[in-house]
């Protein structure tokens, strides 16, 4: 604008030369503020979920976002096992991180201030297969927001929000077992006869029911074998070498036996002393997650046994008198 001085009388006006004045209004970015003084609501989900809703706009106040010339840049830091997706039309599209290092990925999103809420709708987090939090405390996601002017690049101070994310592990169902021998006949066990101890015949359990795998593909899961046996069967894990084998009798807990894959590979069964008749062995694979109490079991595989009676003989020889 300009200033002009002048003289004025009833007969006319005499003006001086105008003096121009220039005023420049510098653009200043609005300050980004937290949406609440309390911690943001934690995010939760299950392992192998299709996606966890990520309400980015809810973490910041939008009442000051009224300048159509300003934008807000968000820098989002996630564990590398998580990917960030945006709903585009009817399907989700993966965003590409701007950097990935030390098991951490960083994403960058820029939106208009006046469309902050709308442009930040439709985001979700997707964990990679078999990924879950290492503990119930979860892990943190950081979101750093900076407002800036497009005309001169003026920036606001950065505001960082921290959001906790916990992905609860879910055990995968083990593969089916192979029932190699559905029915087997074995001799009943011979008990001690006086001072002499009989040598009972043991049957290897894996000859009847074979494991399809002996580990879980998920590193956080433990693989084990659960067995339910009829009361007339005795279970033992064999150790040692041929000619000097020893058998460690197993004791059921709450009606079942829990063994490692290695123990099952050396598991043998026989009838209890002097018992004959029908018997059964039910075997299932079990996956147990490291935390969260998630357990998955395979379908049961049942092997049937017939304990064939064997004459034990007299306790002692006749005495000639």
């Amino acid at each position: 604008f300009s200033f002009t001085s002048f003289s004025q009388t009833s007969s006319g006006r005499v003006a001086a030369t105008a003096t121009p004045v220039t005023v420049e209004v510098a653009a200043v970015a609005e300050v980004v503020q937290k949406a609440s003084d309390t911690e943001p609501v934690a995010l939760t989900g299950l392992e192998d979920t299709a996606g966890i809703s990520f309400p980015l706009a809810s973490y910041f106040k939008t009442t000051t976002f009224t300048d159509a010339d300003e934008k807000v840049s968000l820098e989002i830091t996630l564990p590398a096992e998580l990917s960030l997706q945006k709903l585009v039309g009817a399907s989700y599209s993966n965003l590409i991180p701007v950097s990935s290092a030390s098991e951490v990925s960083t994403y960058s999103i820029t939106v208009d201030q006046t469309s902050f809420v709308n442009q930040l709708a439709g985001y979700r987090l997707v964990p990679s297969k078999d990924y879950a939090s290492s503990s119930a405390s979860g892990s943190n996601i950081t979101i750093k927001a900076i407002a800036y002017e497009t005309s001169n690049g003026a920036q606001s101070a950065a505001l960082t929000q921290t959001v906790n994310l916990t992905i609860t592990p879910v055990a995968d169902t083990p593969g089916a077992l192979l029932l190699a021998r559905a029915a087997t006949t074995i001799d009943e066990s011979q008990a001690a006869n006086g001072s002499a101890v009989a040598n009972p015949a043991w049957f290897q359990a894996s000859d009847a029911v074979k494991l399809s795998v002996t580990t879980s593909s998920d590193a956080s899961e433990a693989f084990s074998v659960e067995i339910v046996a009829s009361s007339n069967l005795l279970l033992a894990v064999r150790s040692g070498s041929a000619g000097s084998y020893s058998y460690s009798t197993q004791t059921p807990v709450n009606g079942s036996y829990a063994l490692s894959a290695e123990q099952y590979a050396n598991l043998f069964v026989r009838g209890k002393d002097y018992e004959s008749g029908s018997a059964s062995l039910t075997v299932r694979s079990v996956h147990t997650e490291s935390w969260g109490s998630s357990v998955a079991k395979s379908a049961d595989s049942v092997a049937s046994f017939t304990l064939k009676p064997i004459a034990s003989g007299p306790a002692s020889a006749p005495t000639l008198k």
Side-chain angles (χ1 to χ4, degrees):
F1 62 94
S2 62
F3 286 101
T4 303
S5 59
F6 60 90
S7 297
Q8 181 75 49
T9 65
S10 58
S11 60
R13 171 176 173 168
V14 178
T17 301
T19 302
V21 178
T22 300
V23 176
E24 180 180 351
V25 180
V28 176
E30 305 292 346
V31 176
V32 182
Q33 297 178 335
K34 292 183 178 180
S36 173
D37 292 333
T38 59
E39 291 294 325
V41 176
L43 302 177
T44 60
L46 297 177
E47 178 183 324
D48 295 333
T49 183
I52 301 167
S53 180
F54 194 22
L56 284 165
S58 68
Y59 304 130
F60 304 95
K61 284 184 178 180
T62 59
T63 52
T64 60
F65 293 164
T66 58
D67 192 336
D69 293 331
E70 289 187 24
K71 295 183 180 293
V72 178
S73 174
L74 299 180
E75 184 179 279
I76 304 165
T77 303
L78 308 171
E81 294 84 357
L82 295 170
S83 59
L84 182 61
Q85 293 185 341
K86 167 71 173 174
L87 182 62
V88 180
S91 60
Y92 281 90
S93 176
N94 285 323
L95 275 69
I96 306 300
V98 294
S99 66
S100 294
S102 301
E103 300 182 355
V104 171
S105 295
T106 301
Y107 296 82
S108 180
I109 301 172
T110 300
V111 295
D112 298 321
Q113 272 196 11
T114 51
S115 300
F116 189 80
V117 174
N118 290 337
Q119 292 180 7
L120 286 179
Y123 282 90
R124 72 177 185 180
L125 300 170
V126 180
S128 58
K129 179 175 172 52
D130 293 334
Y131 171 74
S133 301
S134 58
S135 68
S137 61
S139 57
N140 288 332
I141 294 170
T142 58
I143 309 163
K144 183 169 70 174
I146 299 175
Y148 68 93
E149 283 281 356
T150 56
S151 60
N152 62 359
Q155 294 184 355
S156 70
L159 174 66
T160 301
Q161 285 279 53
T162 300
V163 183
N164 183 262
L165 170 66
T166 303
I167 300 177
T168 303
V170 177
D172 298 324
T173 302
L177 304 177
L178 174 62
L179 184 61
R181 296 179 65 173
T184 304
T185 298
I186 57 178
D187 293 343
E188 72 173 28
S189 175
Q190 300 298 288
N193 185 2
S195 60
V197 178
N199 184 23
W202 292 95
F203 179 83
Q204 190 161 10
S206 59
D207 285 345
V209 180
K210 298 184 181 298
L211 303 180
S212 55
V213 294
T214 56
T215 59
S216 170
S217 60
D218 187 341
S220 66
E221 294 177 359
F223 180 93
S224 62
V225 181
E226 185 178 86
I227 297 173
V228 176
S230 54
S231 60
N232 55 352
L233 284 179
L234 193 65
L235 279 64
V237 174
R238 188 176 75 178
S239 59
S241 55
S244 60
Y245 288 128
S246 61
Y247 294 83
S248 176
T249 303
Q250 302 298 297
T251 302
V253 177
N254 297 325
S256 65
Y257 302 82
L259 304 175
S260 66
E262 182 181 1
Q263 287 176 315
Y264 182 76
N266 294 284
L267 181 69
F268 287 76
V269 301
R270 65 173 174 84
K272 283 191 176 178
D273 294 341
Y274 295 128
E275 293 197 38
S276 60
S278 298
S280 65
L281 192 73
T282 301
V283 184
R284 60 183 73 103
S285 296
V286 181
H287 287 173
T288 305
E289 277 290 359
S290 56
W291 70 273
S293 303
S294 180
V295 176
K297 301 179 181 181
S298 69
D300 291 349
S301 189
V302 182
S304 298
F305 294 90
T306 298
L307 303 179
K308 184 176 69 177
I310 300 295
S312 301
S316 60
T319 301
L320 180 62
K321 292 186 178 179

